[in-house]
């Protein structure tokens, strides 16, 4: 965490908040640099939106401090009101005024400025989201995606220190959501505006964020670049939040654990010398490459096909393999393109160990 007096666009320092004694945010320390997009990622109820509301000034933190542009906005006796915080707000319901044109919606927060400046800022904001030709339209004449882009333009028009986005794409269908996310990504890049975005969609976070902050039960679990969290999760919770995973308990000894998909090495924290201990093994479906094998080939590294389904760019193959205990284990493999082996056929599994992880059982969920 940098010094609060540094030019971070937004900084939380040891922020704690609760509702009637129920903790919502616990010891949150997080900073967003100018021009950086950070996503708060986590399940419902983990404290993401509460953190956003605290940043906006809609909630006073019980403890801790919030800094905007290096200046104290919340903390102690200080609570700068939302309208004086230089933050832009974008919500999932857009909150556009139906009786105002697009241009007047975007210029709503610019009252009191010279008319020429308002027009210039409105035009620049609409241009940044490719909506310059819609200034005279009313919200009801726009699609949902266009309304969301107008909401983003309205947030950008006052040139805020940071834009706060709360699940802004959740009301859009999948195809439209992809398009609007792309427009948002490029608008933030063009305007060099810092952004804090709340989402429970890991793919969305990876698409938009320079860094992702994963939250659980009000606490920050891990923060880093998307590729770092995907490739080096700190626990099974984080690993599982970035897509479907195969999870099962294994037995580690001398720094190794034998699994139906191959032998994995454990890290030093788990190894525990020669002492055996239970561990949780997490394997991403895309870590398993498949190839046909003879019908009699079974044991570690081999599995029987239960079903296979084409999902467009990939195929999902349901597999069953036997463990040393005789227990059957159901696994999923996700392979590129059409690959549809017959049910009952035997497949050899080739494991990409970069996408397989071993964690202490106590870190699992």
């Amino acid at each position: 965490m940098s010094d609060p007096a540094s030019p971070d666009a937004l900084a939380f320092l040891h922020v704690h908040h609760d509702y009637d004694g129920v903790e919502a945010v616990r010891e949150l320390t997080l900073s967003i640099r100018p021009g950086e997009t950070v996503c708060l990622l986590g399940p419902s109820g983990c404290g993401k939106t509460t953190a956003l509301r605290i940043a906006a000034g809609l909630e006073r933190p019980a403890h801790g401090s919030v800094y905007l542009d290096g200046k104290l906005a919340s903390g102690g006796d200080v609570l700068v009101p939302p309208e004086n915080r230089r933050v832009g707000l974008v919500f999932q319901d857009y909150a556009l005024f139906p009786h105002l044109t697009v241009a007047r919606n975007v210029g709503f927060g610019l009252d009191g400025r010279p008319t020429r400046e308002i027009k210039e800022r409105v035009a620049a904001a609409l241009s940044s989201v490719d909506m310059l030709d819609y200034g005279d339209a009313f919200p009801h004449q726009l699609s949902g995606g266009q309304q969301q882009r107008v909401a983003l333009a309205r947030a950008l028009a006052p040139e805020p220190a940071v834009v706060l986005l709360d699940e802004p794409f959740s009301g859009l269908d999948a195809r439209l959501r992809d398009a609007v996310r792309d427009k948002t990504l490029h608008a933030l890049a063009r305007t060099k505006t810092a952004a804090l975005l709340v989402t429970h969609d890991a793919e969305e976070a990876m698409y938009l964020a320079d860094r992702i902050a994963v939250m659980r039960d009000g606490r920050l679990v891990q923060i880093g670049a998307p590729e770092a969290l995907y490739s080096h999760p700190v626990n099974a919770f984080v690993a599982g939040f970035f897509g479907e995973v195969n999870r099962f308990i294994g037995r580690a000894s001398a720094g190794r654990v034998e699994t139906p998909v191959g032998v994995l090495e454990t890290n030093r924290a788990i190894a525990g010398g020669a002492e055996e201990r239970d561990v949780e093994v997490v394997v991403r479906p895309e870590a398993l490459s498949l190839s046909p094998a003879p019908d009699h080939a079974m044991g570690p590294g081999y599995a029987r096909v239960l079903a296979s389904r084409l999902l467009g760019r990939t195929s999902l193959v349901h597999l069953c393999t036997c463990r040393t205990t005789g227990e059957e284990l159901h696994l999923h493999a996700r392979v590129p393109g059409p690959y549809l082996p017959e049910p009952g056929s035997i497949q050899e599994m080739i494991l990409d160990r970069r996408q397989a992880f071993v964690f202490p059982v106590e870190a699992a969920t």
Side-chain angles (χ1 to χ4, degrees), residues 127-320:
S127 179
S128 73
V129 296
D130 295 334
M131 289 292 290
L132 187 57
D133 295 335
Y134 293 84
D136 293 329
F138 286 87
H140 74 270
Q141 297 173 307
L142 306 178
S143 69
Q146 290 172 326
Q147 290 183 46
Q148 187 60 286
R149 285 152 61 187
V150 172
L152 177 60
R154 183 176 59 186
L156 293 173
E159 298 179 350
V162 61
V163 172
L164 307 174
L165 304 101
D166 188 10
E167 303 272 8
F169 316 115
S170 61
L172 305 176
D173 64 65
R175 188 178 297 274
L176 187 56
R177 184 164 58 243
D178 291 344
V180 178
R181 283 194 311 206
D182 190 66
K183 296 289 186 185
T184 300
L185 175 68
H186 295 298
L188 292 173
R190 280 195 296 267
T191 58
K192 296 181 173 58
T193 304
L196 180 64
L197 183 145
V198 162
T199 182
H200 62 271
D201 185 332
E203 182 177 312
E204 182 168 283
M206 296 182 78
Y207 188 95
L208 289 166
D210 298 301
R211 289 186 298 149
I212 298 173
V214 179
M215 292 187 69
R216 182 186 187 190
D217 297 333
R219 291 189 182 276
L220 190 60
V221 179
Q222 185 175 2
I223 183 168
E227 59 271 22
L229 270 63
Y230 186 85
S231 300
H232 304 288
V234 296
N235 58 28
F237 173 80
V238 175
F241 221 88
F242 286 87
E244 178 195 4
V245 292
N246 299 296
R247 299 169 68 161
F248 52 91
I249 301 299
R251 193 74 174 163
S253 178
R256 292 158 58 90
V257 54
E258 293 188 8
T259 79
V261 297
V263 176
L264 299 173
E265 294 186 358
T266 64
N267 61 37
R268 293 179 181 177
I270 299 172
E275 181 184 353
E276 291 191 1
R277 62 182 301 181
D278 286 338
V279 293
E280 181 162 26
V281 179
V282 177
V283 179
R284 300 195 188 281
E286 53 268 32
L288 298 174
S289 298
L290 303 178
S291 61
D295 289 344
H296 62 272
M298 283 300 287
Y302 296 92
R304 184 177 76 255
V305 175
L306 296 175
S308 53
R309 298 289 186 270
L310 178 63
L311 302 180
R313 290 173 293 178
T314 63
S315 296
L316 185 66
V317 183
H318 299 250
L319 302 165
C320 181

Side-chain angles (χ1 to χ4, degrees), residues 8-20:
D8 288 329
L10 171 64
F12 299 88
L13 188 62
H14 304 301
V15 169
H16 179 98
H17 195 61
D18 64 82
Y19 295 103
D20 297 325

Side-chain angles (χ1 to χ4, degrees), residues 35-93:
E36 182 184 35
T37 296
V38 173
C39 284
L40 290 178
L41 175 66
S44 297
C46 73
K48 308 184 300 295
T49 295
T50 297
L52 203 76
R53 290 177 60 83
I54 289 172
L58 301 174
E59 298 280 356
R60 180 194 289 269
H63 303 287
S65 306
V66 176
Y67 293 82
L68 284 162
D69 248 359
K71 299 176 181 178
L72 182 64
S74 297
D77 296 329
V78 175
L79 182 65
V80 176
E83 61 271 20
N84 295 335
R85 286 201 173 204
R86 287 195 63 218
V87 298
L89 298 173
V90 181
F91 300 104
Q92 63 188 55
D93 61 358

